Amino acid sequence: MNIINYLSAAAVPLVILIIVIYALIEKNKVYDTFLDGAKEGLEVVINIFPTLIGIFLAVGALRASGILDLIVNIIKPIINILKIPAEIMPLAILRPISGSASMAVATDIMAKYGVDNIIGIIASTIMGSTETTFYTIALYTSAVGIKKIRFVLVAALIADVAGMLTSVAICRIMS
């Protein structure tokens, strides 16, 4: 086990060393190339910053307004038929929107119900099997300037719903 710890600790410095050696052999200016990459990265951050602010503001307003509880109460008859615990619905609603908000909700679920409870297990599985769809699509499409995201959004949301339903089904079967 010590050799694995040593190799994992040495992996990143070793990769950096290989890159520098390769650049020297190819006579590339390593530091200048690094600076060019850093400038491009900063431009991307500046371009996506307004999108991030909008998403964080919307998620904060959604959590503080009590709309999540209203939505859960409205869809409760459907989720009861599907045998989906109502306690995970705020997570299922927020997960496609924001990773940090869904992490906060998942942490609340774990603290309230425990990690060994079926609700905690389903929440953990949902966190691992779904994506922050709106965040990811907004981030990547705004970075490259894509405006028409309709088909990507539909496919991604279908995948999220499938991931959530499968998480519930597998956890119910395994417990």
Side-chain angles (χ1 to χ4, degrees), residues 71-137:
I71 293 170
V72 170
N73 287 333
I74 290 171
I75 63 173
K76 210 170 216 171
I78 297 167
I79 62 175
N80 286 339
I81 292 170
L82 296 173
K83 297 188 191 283
I84 299 172
E87 295 85 358
I88 64 154
M89 288 313 295
L91 174 64
I93 293 167
L94 283 177
R95 181 65 179 152
I97 300 169
S98 169
S100 58
S102 60
M103 184 60 77
V105 171
T107 303
D108 291 344
I109 289 171
M110 301 298 169
K112 188 171 184 180
Y113 300 101
V115 294
D116 292 336
N117 186 305
I118 186 69
I119 294 168
I121 294 169
I122 292 172
S124 297
T125 308
I126 286 174
M127 288 297 290
S129 63
T130 58
E131 179 59 72
T132 52
T133 302
F134 290 103
Y135 173 81
T136 304
I137 290 173

Side-chain angles (χ1 to χ4, degrees), residues 25-168:
I25 291 170
E26 293 291 319
K27 295 188 169 85
N28 287 336
K29 297 179 179 176
V30 177
Y31 190 68
D32 291 340
T33 305
F34 169 77
L35 288 180
D36 290 340
K39 286 177 190 175
E40 287 179 28
L42 192 57
E43 288 174 13
V44 169
V45 169
I46 290 170
N47 288 336
I48 64 173
F49 192 69
T51 304
L52 293 175
I53 295 278
I55 289 173
F56 291 144
L57 180 68
V59 168
L62 187 65
R63 286 189 77 193
S65 68
I67 288 180
L68 283 177
D69 296 330
L70 177 67
I71 293 170
V72 170
N73 287 333
I74 290 171
I75 63 173
K76 210 170 216 171
I78 297 167
I79 62 175
N80 286 339
I81 292 170
L82 296 173
K83 297 188 191 283
I84 299 172
E87 295 85 358
I88 64 154
M89 288 313 295
L91 174 64
I93 293 167
L94 283 177
R95 181 65 179 152
I97 300 169
S98 169
S100 58
S102 60
M103 184 60 77
V105 171
T107 303
D108 291 344
I109 289 171
M110 301 298 169
K112 188 171 184 180
Y113 300 101
V115 294
D116 292 336
N117 186 305
I118 186 69
I119 294 168
I121 294 169
I122 292 172
S124 297
T125 308
I126 286 174
M127 288 297 290
S129 63
T130 58
E131 179 59 72
T132 52
T133 302
F134 290 103
Y135 173 81
T136 304
I137 290 173
L139 192 69
Y140 290 126
T141 57
S142 69
V144 294
I146 296 172
K147 301 284 186 214
K148 297 179 183 177
I149 61 165
R150 179 179 57 193
F151 299 115
V152 172
L153 182 61
V154 170
L157 289 176
I158 289 171
D160 278 337
V161 170
M164 289 177 198
L165 292 176
T166 303
S167 296
V168 172

